[in-house]
Amino acid sequence: MRKNSIKNTRVNAEVQRELSNILRGGIKDPRVAPMTSVVAVEVAPDLKTCKAYISVLGDEKMQQDTIKGLQSAEGYIRRELARTINMRNTPEIKFIMDQSIEYGVNISRKIDEVTRDLKKDGADE
């Protein structure tokens, strides 16, 4: 199976949807932040491994605690994933922190500051 085949794309989308549901409703670990979302999922073509890109709204410590909490709950998450998705193999999940949303918000804030300064300079002249 090619990496970007239609089947692999469908598996990625289904795993991402179910991971989001599990994180939203099933994790009771206090280390996992309530504002945690699954940004993307990459399941290997052999269905043995999975990279889950996680975004957390909060500071650096909250992000690290969330990753540790998710790693400790990986067994529970895999069991729930196997129960909800009918796949030959339930992939081993590796959680990776995704900084893209935070980066986008930071860039947007900087653009707003620059445009505000430009409007202020234009009004002074």
Side-chain angles (χ1 to χ4, degrees), residues 15-29 32 36 38 41 50 52 54 66-85 87 90-95:
V15 170
Q16 181 178 355
R17 181 177 32 246
E18 291 303 323
L19 268 179
S20 295
N21 290 338
I22 292 168
L23 290 183
R24 189 176 331 113
I27 302 292
K28 302 285 192 271
D29 194 330
V32 177
T36 301
V38 181
V41 170
C50 168
I54 305 295
T66 298
I67 289 293
K68 287 178 186 172
L70 289 174
Q71 287 170 347
S72 70
E74 183 192 353
Y76 169 76
I77 294 170
R78 281 184 73 185
R79 187 169 53 249
E80 289 298 310
L81 205 58
R83 191 176 59 78
T84 56
I85 298 178
M87 293 193 324
T90 303
E92 182 179 321
I93 305 167
K94 181 178 182 191
F95 295 101

Side-chain angles (χ1 to χ4, degrees), residues 3 5 7 22 26 28 36 48 53 57 60 63-64 67 74-75 82 91 93 98 103 106 111 118:
K3 183 173 175 130
S5 69
K7 180 181 177 185
I22 292 168
K28 302 285 192 271
T36 301
K48 299 271 188 203
Y53 296 93
L57 187 65
E60 187 73 27
Q63 292 174 355
Q64 296 303 323
I67 289 293
E74 183 192 353
I93 305 167
D98 184 52
Y103 178 77
N106 192 18
I111 290 172
L118 287 175

